[in-house]
Amino acid sequence: MFGRNPRKAREMEQQIRNRQVLKEYVCRVEGEFPEGKTECGQPVEVVSYKIGVCKVSAHGKECRTEFERLSYNGVTSVVLCRPFTGRMHQIRVHLQFLGFPVMNDPLYNHTVFGPDKGKGGNIGKTDEKLIADLISIHNAENWLGMDGDTELSMFNKGDEGDGKGDIASKILPADGSPNSNKKEGCVTAPVHSVHHNNFDPANPLSCIENNPLIPRNCTITRPPPITRPCRSPVVLRQPLESAPLVDSEDDELLAKNKEYRYAPEKMTWDPNCYECKVRYRDPKSKDLVMYLHAWRYKGPDWQFETRLPQWAEPGWQQPQEEKK
C-alpha cells in the first residue's frame, strides 16, 4: 500500500504500528484443514536474518494468527488467514507448525525441515545444520530475502538485523554465493574464469573473445581508471546479438511500451565485476507465484480488497505442468 501524500502515509503507518489494521490473506495449503476457526499463538524466532528463515521457538517473539477454512477440493484447502502480529513469515511458519504448509511454498514446505516438514516444531536438527542444508538445497533466488516483519522495516533498524553473528554469515563464503563451498569428494569441471586475476588489461578483447562464459547480448565495458573516476567506462565490444523481435499479438505490453524492450546496447558487462559473472537460470512461471495472497486490509475508516486469484476457487485443481 502507498499513501498518496505524506500525511496519509504517516497516518496509515501509525495505524499499522498500533495494530488498528485488520489484515486478511488467502492461501491454499496441503491437506484437509480443520473446519471452523483455528488459532495458532506459537512464538516465532528468526533463525537467520541474512537468508530470511524462521521457525516456531520458545525463544521467539509473541505471535498470533487466526485461520479459517473456506473450501476443500479433496487434496488441498483454501484457508483465510488473519495475522494479529507482524512477524517475518508469520503465516507460512504457523501453517508449517500446524502441518498444513502452503502447497507450493519453496521454503517451509520442504523435507529439509525433517520428514514431517516441521509439523509441531519438530525439525530434528540444530539451527546451524538447518541453515547449511537450506543453502545447499535451495537456489538462492527462490527464497532468500527478508519480508513481512513490521519490526524490521526502514523505521526500525535495530542491531539484530545487520547480519552480524548471523548463522548464514558463518556458513556462506565471503562473496555470498551459496554455490561457492566445495564439497569433499566432488569433482568439478574446469571453469573459464573471468576474474580480475587472469584478466589481462593489455589484451582485453582476446580475453573476452576466448571465454565462452561471456554473454553475447550486451556491451562489454571496462571501468575508468581510479585516478579519473568521473570518466565514462571504456567500451571494449558492442553486443554481438540484437534484441529479439517481439510479436505484438504475443506481448501487448511491449507493443505499447517500446521503452520496456531489452536493449543490448544499454546492457553492460564488466569482466572484473562479481555480479556480472553470476549466471542465474530463468525461473519458470510456477516459480514466480506462491499460493498466498494479500486479500483485504481494513483500517478504522477505510477498507481495501483485491480480487481473489484463480487458485483460490473452491474447485480448482493444480495444473499438470506445476506438478513436474
Side-chain angles (χ1 to χ4, degrees):
M1 297 188 299
F2 294 89
R4 296 181 66 178
N5 56 65
R7 181 190 61 80
K8 194 63 179 180
R10 286 192 294 269
E11 180 182 317
M12 294 174 69
E13 179 193 341
Q14 288 302 316
Q15 290 175 1
I16 293 174
R17 281 178 176 277
N18 297 330
R19 299 184 180 177
Q20 296 177 288
V21 178
L22 174 65
K23 296 172 282 186
E24 293 183 309
Y25 295 75
V26 172
C27 64
R28 185 171 283 277
V29 303
E30 286 188 348
E32 184 177 2
F33 199 86
E35 292 184 323
K37 294 183 179 180
T38 301
E39 184 170 305
C40 184
Q42 295 291 330
V44 171
E45 177 186 14
V46 179
V47 180
S48 170
Y49 287 95
K50 189 177 184 69
I51 64 174
V53 180
C54 304
K55 69 173 185 177
V56 163
S57 167
H59 305 292
K61 295 179 181 179
E62 170 206 3
C63 195
R64 184 166 72 96
T65 315
E66 181 182 84
F67 301 99
E68 182 178 356
R69 193 178 94 179
L70 299 180
S71 65
Y72 174 61
N73 67 0
V75 181
T76 58
S77 306
V78 177
V79 178
L80 177 65
C81 317
R82 300 186 183 95
F84 295 104
T85 49
R87 306 303 176 206
M88 181 175 167
H89 297 175
Q90 171 176 331
I91 293 174
R92 298 161 66 188
V93 173
H94 274 176
L95 285 170
Q96 179 196 52
F97 179 86
L98 294 173
F100 301 95
V102 176
M103 63 174 293
N104 64 344
D105 190 328
L107 175 57
Y108 297 105
N109 189 1
H110 199 287
T111 53
V112 71
F113 284 90
D116 295 327
K117 299 181 180 180
K119 180 179 179 180
N122 182 22
I123 299 176
K125 61 182 72 174
T126 64
D127 291 350
E128 289 78 6
K129 176 62 174 172
L130 174 63
I131 295 300
D133 289 348
L134 283 168
I135 291 173
S136 65
I137 291 173
H138 281 272
N139 199 327
E141 71 268 23
N142 286 340
W143 56 273
L144 296 187
M146 184 169 64
D147 64 300
D149 195 330
T150 55
E151 294 191 4
L152 297 176
S153 68
M154 66 179 72
F155 306 103
N156 294 282
K157 293 187 177 178
D159 293 333
E160 50 185 345
D162 60 2
K164 295 180 180 178
D166 194 289
I167 297 174
S169 299
K170 302 173 184 177
I171 298 174
L172 284 168
D175 62 10
S177 170
N179 300 317
S180 295
N181 290 331
K182 294 184 179 179
K183 295 182 180 179
E184 185 177 352
C186 292
V187 178
T188 57
V191 177
H192 297 272
S193 174
V194 286
H195 193 265
H196 65 274
N197 288 338
N198 58 24
F199 176 73
D200 184 4
N203 300 290
L205 283 178
S206 60
C207 292
I208 290 171
E209 298 305 333
N210 293 331
N211 195 312
L213 297 181
I214 293 180
R216 297 169 57 84
N217 60 345
C218 62
T219 302
I220 308 299
T221 63
R222 184 172 62 192
I226 59 174
T227 55
R228 309 185 75 173
C230 295
R231 297 183 64 180
S232 300
V234 178
V235 176
L236 301 180
R237 191 201 71 190
Q238 296 293 340
L240 301 178
E241 297 178 1
S242 59
L245 296 176
V246 177
D247 190 334
S248 59
E249 294 182 359
D250 294 338
D251 202 320
E252 184 179 352
L253 177 63
L254 291 183
K256 292 182 178 179
N257 303 275
K258 294 182 179 180
E259 67 273 16
Y260 292 168
R261 295 187 182 187
Y262 175 74
E265 66 276 4
K266 294 182 180 179
M267 181 68 178
T268 61
W269 190 91
D270 177 4
N272 292 327
C273 172
Y274 168 76
E275 295 297 334
C276 285
K277 292 178 287 183
V278 177
R279 305 298 291 266
Y280 296 103
R281 69 172 179 84
D282 287 335
K284 299 179 180 179
S285 57
K286 66 185 182 70
D287 298 326
L288 302 176
V289 177
M290 184 164 58
Y291 296 154
L292 174 61
H293 176 76
W295 182 37
R296 181 190 294 142
Y297 277 31
K298 296 179 181 177
D301 55 355
W302 58 272
Q303 175 177 321
F304 179 76
E305 181 177 317
T306 61
R307 183 175 60 183
L308 286 175
Q310 187 178 10
W311 55 257
E313 297 176 0
W316 178 88
Q317 295 292 332
Q318 186 179 18
Q320 287 298 323
E321 58 269 19
E322 290 191 9
K323 297 180 181 180
K324 297 177 182 179

